[in-house]
């Protein structure tokens, strides 16, 4: 039986003071259940304070990205040992926004190449995180154009095969995968529940082909993309959806608490 997981991706929102106020409100709002793991992923700058405030709580802290080298001349980057030392238990990897694939584009498209994540860098990042005992939350998903061209399953299969290449199956036992259709991120468009379940089941089959079906049975597959309190229960009731990776709705402690309640 896989334990449900609800993770909040705060993206580039909140100063340290705002994050602290949100965390305090979250602790009051969340009705803790042993059956659900909870994670919040603030920006790097908010991680230390968030870890301190959640020290006695069941809510874990994650980062939104990592650089794969442990240290060195990599201006502006943050390594897995740094995240570990700061108290991170999880880290999102390969989010569509770091791959330059946006559901709602709020920057000039001439600047999109700044977000240059590839399946290869995702693979390197997963290795760096596993070495530190940090659980990777690997994001996969298709764009609107890929969906319209019936490429959804092929795109996700390639993302999984490249991201998980070269690992021993035992190393990946705690891995979390999030199915995040790019077109549903920040757009208010949620994937139909039946289709989200179909893709999450397909993801589990592909993982089974990569690391073996017995390992794949234990891997948690989340759905992400316009999850809110009103649709969480239906999504999380599906047999292959083990929780959610929540963006916008995780910024509101009461809404996030209600999503955790749905799980
Ligand atoms: P929204 O919930 O805002 O659509 O974002 C989803 C997401 O990208 C989580 O990582």
């Amino acid at each position: 039986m896989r334990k449900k997981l609800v993770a909040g991706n705060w993206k580039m929102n909140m100063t340290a003071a705002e994050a602290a106020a949100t965390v305090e409100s979250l602790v009051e709002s969340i009705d803790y259940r042993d059956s659900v793991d909870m994670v919040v992923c603030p920006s790097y700058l908010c991680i230390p304070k968030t870890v301190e405030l959640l020290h006695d709580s069941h809510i874990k802290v994650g980062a939104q990205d990592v650089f794969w080298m442990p240290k060195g001349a990599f201006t502006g980057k943050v390594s897995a040992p740094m995240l570990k030392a700061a108290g991170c238990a999880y880290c999102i990897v390969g989010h569509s926004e770091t791959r330059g694939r946006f559901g709602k584009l709020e920057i000039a498209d001439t600047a999109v190449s700044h977000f240059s994540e590839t399946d290869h860098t995702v693979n390197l990042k997963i290795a760096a995180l596993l070495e530190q005992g940090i659980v990777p939350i690997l994001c996969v998903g298709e764009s609107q154009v890929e969906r319209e061209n019936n490429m959804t399953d092929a795109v996700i299969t390639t993302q999984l095969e490249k991201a998980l290449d070269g690992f021993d199956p035992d190393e990946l036992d705690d891995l979390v995968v999030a199915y995040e259709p790019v077109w549903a991120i920040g757009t208010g468009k949620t994937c139909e529940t039946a289709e989200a379940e179909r893709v999450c089941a397909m993801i589990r089959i592909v993982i089974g082909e990569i690391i073996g079906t017995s390992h794949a049975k234990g891997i948690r597959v989340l759905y992400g993309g316009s999850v809110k309190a009103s649709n969480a229960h239906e999504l999380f009731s599906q047999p292959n959806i083990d929780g959610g990776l929540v963006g916008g709705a995780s910024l509101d402690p009461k809404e996030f608490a209600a999503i955790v309640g749905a799980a």
Side-chain angles (χ1 to χ4, degrees), residues 9 11 95 97 180 184-187 224-227 245-249:
N9 177 5
K11 306 193 179 183
H95 192 281
E97 287 153 12
E180 296 211 316
I185 296 180
T187 57
S226 299
V227 174
L245 181 54
V246 187

Side-chain angles (χ1 to χ4, degrees), residues 2-7 30-39 58-59 90 220 236 242-244 256 259-263:
R2 296 179 298 269
K3 192 169 177 181
K4 290 270 193 270
L5 170 66
V6 178
I30 282 189
D31 185 13
Y32 173 67
R33 305 270 162 79
D34 196 31
S35 53
V36 185
D37 284 336
M38 296 166 280
V39 187
H58 295 277
I59 307 171
Y90 292 79
R220 290 186 284 189
F236 301 167
D242 304 314
F256 189 66
I259 294 170
V260 170

Side-chain angles (χ1 to χ4, degrees), residues 185-226:
I185 296 180
T187 57
K189 291 186 215 164
T190 320
C191 187
E192 294 281 326
T193 305
E195 176 61 3
E197 164 61 14
R198 185 195 70 77
V199 177
C200 290
M202 184 274 293
I203 287 172
R204 196 178 306 288
I205 290 168
V206 173
I207 296 173
E209 286 161 1
I210 301 168
I211 60 169
T213 43
S214 61
H215 285 283
K217 271 190 199 139
I219 302 271
R220 290 186 284 189
V221 182
L222 314 182
Y223 169 79
S226 299

Side-chain angles (χ1 to χ4, degrees), residues 20-232:
T22 302
V23 168
E24 277 163 9
S25 165
L26 198 57
V27 169
E28 280 166 26
S29 311
I30 282 189
D31 185 13
Y32 173 67
R33 305 270 162 79
D34 196 31
S35 53
V36 185
D37 284 336
M38 296 166 280
V39 187
V40 290
C41 302
S43 72
Y44 290 135
L45 286 175
C46 303
I47 287 172
K49 188 71 185 166
T50 304
V51 168
E52 184 190 315
L53 290 171
L54 292 176
H55 187 66
D56 293 325
S57 119
H58 295 277
I59 307 171
K60 303 276 188 231
V61 180
Q64 300 173 13
D65 195 12
V66 67
F67 190 65
W68 61 88
M69 293 294 281
K71 62 187 291 188
F74 300 103
T75 302
K77 301 299 183 200
V78 172
S79 72
M82 290 173 183
L83 295 182
K84 180 73 180 175
C88 287
Y90 292 79
C91 181
I92 296 168
V93 198
H95 192 281
S96 53
E97 287 153 12
T98 69
R99 297 179 194 249
R101 288 154 63 83
F102 291 87
K104 193 172 123 208
L105 192 61
E106 293 178 273
I107 55 167
D109 47 7
T110 46
V112 170
S113 60
H114 172 83
F115 300 90
S116 53
E117 184 91 276
T118 65
D119 290 324
H120 178 55
T121 59
V122 170
N123 178 269
L124 294 169
K125 290 176 179 185
I126 292 173
L129 291 169
L130 293 176
E131 198 164 307
Q132 296 301 317
I134 298 173
V135 175
I137 303 177
L138 164 64
C139 299
V140 295
E142 82 289 359
S143 67
Q144 177 81 47
V145 173
E146 288 161 351
R147 172 158 285 269
E148 284 161 6
N149 287 292
N150 295 320
M151 290 162 65
T152 299
D153 295 13
V155 165
I156 293 171
T157 299
T158 302
Q159 288 173 339
L160 288 168
E161 284 172 351
K162 294 197 170 167
L164 303 181
D165 183 40
F167 295 106
D168 185 302
D170 290 334
E171 282 183 282
L172 296 173
D173 275 346
D174 292 329
L175 174 79
V176 176
V177 176
Y179 168 48
E180 296 211 316
V182 179
W183 48 271
I185 296 180
T187 57
K189 291 186 215 164
T190 320
C191 187
E192 294 281 326
T193 305
E195 176 61 3
E197 164 61 14
R198 185 195 70 77
V199 177
C200 290
M202 184 274 293
I203 287 172
R204 196 178 306 288
I205 290 168
V206 173
I207 296 173
E209 286 161 1
I210 301 168
I211 60 169
T213 43
S214 61
H215 285 283
K217 271 190 199 139
I219 302 271
R220 290 186 284 189
V221 182
L222 314 182
Y223 169 79
S226 299
V227 174
K228 20 186 195 285
S230 58
N231 60 22

